[in-house]
Amino acid sequence: MHHLVILVLFGALLCAPHQCLECPSGCQCFAGTRTVKCVSKDLRAIPQDIPGYTRNVIITGNNIFRIGSETFQELKNVTTIILSNNRITEVASHSFSTLSYLRSLDMSCNHLALIHPEALNIPGSPLKELNLSRTLYNYTSLTDLTTALPNILSEFESNLRSSLEVV
Ligand SMILES: *[C@@H]1O[C@H](CO)[C@@H](O)[C@H](O)[C@H]1NC(C)=O
Ligand SMILES: *[C@@H]1O[C@H](CO)[C@@H](O)[C@H](O)[C@H]1NC(C)=O
Ligand SMILES: *[C@@H]1O[C@H](CO)[C@@H](O)[C@H](O)[C@H]1NC(C)=O
């Protein structure tokens, strides 16, 4: 009887690795849907401790000014990233290049002023949806984008749904 009680207690302590990992502060992590949400928390940067199991990253309404090449490096299983309304001004070279399964990227409603020509390059070109609605800050970012886009457009597949809207 005592053995049984002890086993049950240990059973509750030992959970599957992805359930035990911590969630970044200010975020909600949903292991079942492999989703991490950080909404309107005044974050200044993308949290670095997002669980490795994550497939959907939803970080909106924060104060993140830059996306760097190291920002999403470890999240290799990610398929969807939503970064709308974060005041992002700069997207660095190869910001998403380790994300071989990234199908959908939403960077709408930011203030992009500097987009590196290779910012959106991902080997194998997995991107199918790219939302840049209301996000280009000025003429510089528009010319940056015309440099960055052909790098991925040339490899885009037929079901591309790209929404570009310059405001
Ligand atoms: C990524 O997905 C693969 C295949 O589903 C899985 O085996 C692997 O454990 C996942 N990586 C992480 C860090 O969860
Ligand atoms: C693109 O982003 C805008 C603004 O966030 C949103 O209203 C629109 O529905 C998005 N478009 C797609 C195709 O997801
Ligand atoms: C666009 O904004 C960026 C950042 O403020 C600035 O460096 C650049 O000179 C601006 N470009 C134009 C054409 O105003």
Side-chain angles (χ1 to χ4, degrees):
M1 191 56 194
H2 280 287
H3 281 298
L4 185 60
V5 170
I6 288 165
L7 278 180
V8 167
L9 280 176
F10 271 109
L13 289 174
L14 300 170
C15 46
H18 65 77
Q19 292 172 326
C20 286
L21 289 176
E22 285 183 18
C23 195
S25 72
C27 302
Q28 294 171 284
C29 298
F30 305 91
T33 54
R34 309 248 196 287
T35 298
V36 173
K37 273 189 193 179
C38 319
V39 177
S40 302
K41 293 296 177 192
D42 199 28
L43 298 178
R44 302 300 161 105
I46 305 286
Q48 285 305 289
D49 46 353
I50 293 175
Y53 63 75
T54 303
R55 301 225 173 120
N56 309 295
V57 175
I58 302 170
I59 299 178
T60 63
N62 295 286
N63 281 307
I64 295 160
F65 78 101
R66 179 176 189 272
I67 303 297
S69 56
E70 67 298 333
T71 304
F72 290 107
Q73 209 170 24
E74 302 302 327
L75 298 178
K76 300 199 166 34
N77 281 353
V78 157
T79 59
T80 302
I81 298 180
I82 300 177
L83 296 174
S84 55
N85 281 298
N86 281 311
R87 302 170 186 266
I88 298 166
T89 63
E90 181 184 349
V91 186
S93 176
H94 293 282
S95 285
F96 306 97
S97 64
T98 60
L99 311 181
S100 327
Y101 304 108
L102 183 63
R103 295 179 56 85
S104 176
L105 175 62
D106 183 344
M107 289 200 293
S108 62
C109 306
N110 284 288
H111 301 156
L112 298 186
L114 193 62
I115 306 169
H116 189 277
E118 297 188 343
L120 301 170
N121 284 26
I122 307 174
S125 299
L127 263 190
K128 300 286 183 284
E129 292 183 28
L130 176 61
N131 193 340
L132 298 174
S133 173
R134 297 166 206 240
T135 209
L136 299 180
Y137 178 68
N138 63 13
Y139 187 70
T140 304
S141 53
L142 182 59
T143 52
D144 279 0
L145 190 63
T146 56
T147 315
L149 273 185
N151 287 339
I152 58 168
L153 279 177
S154 59
E155 297 175 70
F156 254 170
E157 290 171 28
S158 54
N159 55 348
L160 167 74
R161 281 195 284 140
S162 172
S163 39
L164 300 173
E165 194 176 320
V166 184
V167 175

